[in-house]
Amino acid sequence: MIDLFVPSKNRAMQLRFLLESVAENMPSFFNEIKILYTYTDDNFKKGYEKLINEKILPNLVWQKEEDFLQDFLQCIESCKSDYICGMVDDCVVYKRVSVPSEIVEELIDDEILCFSLRLGLNTELQNYLKSKSWKVKLKKYRENEIGIKWNYSDYIDRCNYGYPISLDGHIYRPKDLLKFSTKVEFDSLRSWEKNTTDSCFTDESAKKHMASFKQSILFSIPCNCVQYDETMSSGEVYSYTEEELNKRYLNNEVISFWDMQHAFQNVNCTHNEVKFYFKKLQGEENA
């Protein structure tokens, strides 16, 4: 009933960490997981070839990116499920999620544009680099046994509660996502997020509500940046370049999901840089 769509560039090891977290905390959640991947040199290509051969999940569909804009829209348009969830390759699913039918029941509400896996009552901190200086409490919301629902247009200052378009764990009806994606111009994920979010605020016909669980189950780890954007922060606390991580992966090292459990405690933000712990694929620990 729900498909997962993950664009990825030069980040085979980080993508592996995401897929392992999906396997552990969202087993049997997605019908199909489509990976739209690209790379800038042969070493990064080898990283993806290695990951493809690992077959971490049985329902992975790999598509090599040829034209970002066309391939991106085609991945949404070709979705065969009722809903599509977006994630990017620096995300991690840190908490066990409930069954898909609960989300679908919530999404049936015609007021809701998206169901967010990265938001909840716990995600008050809006920027992990600003510590306590920018917190936004979700004040007006409706609650039921599944989660919470709010009007994102109440948060016009672009805090996370007022940012309806994102691939960081947001679930949509494909037709809704395609409607806004084809109305705007974009050449990167960042420009797609910004321009489609602007369209949601200005289009009177747009659904004006978001929903989520009471606690988030996903966050992003911006330890590096593969698309240039002067407004983005990455690698300011724990920096791991994509070249470094890819080299370690080709040498049979991976991020250890179970040794990362310390980073999954007291999550209060949608993005956070954390220290990676590594292990050998054969079982040798190397932190």
Side-chain angles (χ1 to χ4, degrees):
M1 195 168 287
I2 301 175
D3 283 358
L4 176 60
F5 170 44
V6 185
S8 182
K9 179 181 179 181
N10 290 351
R11 286 173 166 172
M13 181 191 274
Q14 289 165 268
L15 176 59
R16 186 190 189 279
F17 186 49
L18 167 63
L19 294 178
E20 186 176 12
S21 74
V22 170
E24 292 293 338
N25 285 327
M26 305 181 80
S28 305
F29 191 93
F30 298 110
N31 284 347
E32 178 179 279
I33 300 175
K34 177 168 283 189
I35 311 295
L36 180 65
Y37 70 102
T38 189
Y39 45 81
T40 54
D41 64 38
D42 285 343
N43 285 325
F44 289 122
K45 178 183 179 182
K46 291 176 182 176
Y48 283 109
E49 290 173 344
K50 183 180 182 68
L51 182 56
I52 291 170
N53 288 332
E54 279 203 70
K55 299 179 181 178
I56 292 177
L57 286 159
N59 53 339
L60 294 175
V61 176
W62 296 87
Q63 179 178 333
K64 172 67 175 65
E65 179 188 309
E66 301 298 336
D67 180 284
F68 171 74
L69 179 59
Q70 292 183 8
D71 292 342
F72 182 87
L73 293 174
Q74 191 273 334
C75 284
I76 300 172
E77 189 173 12
S78 64
C79 176
K80 298 176 182 178
S81 293
D82 296 328
Y83 303 97
I84 185 169
C85 176
M87 294 183 189
V88 288
D89 52 12
D90 64 355
C91 289
V92 60
V93 181
Y94 76 92
K95 181 179 171 63
R96 189 83 169 190
V97 73
S98 54
V99 298
S101 60
E102 295 183 356
I103 293 179
V104 172
E105 289 172 7
E106 187 73 15
L107 279 170
I108 290 174
D109 185 339
D110 287 335
E111 292 183 336
I112 292 176
L113 176 63
C114 74
F115 192 104
S116 175
L117 302 177
R118 75 173 188 167
L119 295 175
L121 296 174
N122 60 304
T123 54
E124 294 182 3
L125 184 63
Q126 300 301 301
N127 188 319
Y128 69 98
L129 294 174
K130 295 184 178 180
S131 186
K132 298 180 180 179
S133 63
W134 187 17
K135 281 191 173 184
V136 176
K137 187 173 183 178
L138 192 60
K139 296 179 180 179
K140 296 190 295 183
Y141 62 89
R142 281 175 270 175
E143 181 177 348
N144 61 24
E145 66 278 6
I146 299 171
I148 54 177
K149 168 184 170 181
W150 66 94
N151 188 327
Y152 64 79
S153 62
D154 289 340
Y155 300 88
I156 59 175
D157 61 349
R158 289 297 179 79
C159 76
N160 292 323
Y161 296 122
Y163 205 71
I165 302 294
S166 171
L167 281 194
D168 294 356
H170 282 192
I171 301 174
Y172 304 89
R173 299 173 182 85
K175 64 179 181 180
D176 288 340
L177 195 57
L178 197 62
K179 170 186 173 182
F180 290 103
S181 298
T182 54
K183 278 186 175 182
V184 300
E185 294 184 359
F186 62 94
D187 57 10
S188 68
L189 284 179
R190 290 291 291 177
S191 62
W192 170 77
E193 285 187 1
K194 179 183 181 301
N195 295 342
T196 48
T197 291
D198 287 343
S199 182
C200 288
F201 276 91
T202 57
D203 188 337
E204 294 183 358
S205 69
K207 299 176 176 70
K208 298 300 182 184
H209 287 80
M210 298 173 66
S212 74
F213 293 123
K214 296 173 187 178
Q215 180 178 342
S216 66
I217 61 101
L218 172 149
F219 67 91
S220 295
I221 306 174
C223 64
N224 53 44
C225 184
V226 294
Q227 57 173 324
Y228 174 74
D229 186 325
E230 61 185 13
T231 67
M232 293 180 67
S233 299
S234 65
E236 297 193 27
V237 181
Y238 295 104
S239 177
Y240 301 89
T241 67
E242 57 270 29
E243 290 85 2
E244 172 193 354
L245 293 178
N246 191 66
K247 182 178 179 180
R248 295 183 78 150
Y249 184 42
L250 292 178
N251 287 328
N252 283 333
E253 285 186 84
V254 297
I255 302 167
S256 175
F257 181 76
W258 295 109
D259 288 332
M260 292 294 297
Q261 299 303 306
H262 69 285
F264 305 155
Q265 309 301 314
N266 303 314
V267 173
N268 63 353
C269 193
T270 62
H271 296 71
N272 193 32
E273 289 184 44
V274 296
K275 182 179 179 180
F276 285 154
Y277 288 82
F278 300 93
K279 70 175 183 179
K280 285 287 188 179
L281 282 175
Q282 293 84 356
E284 286 185 26
E285 295 296 330
N286 182 18

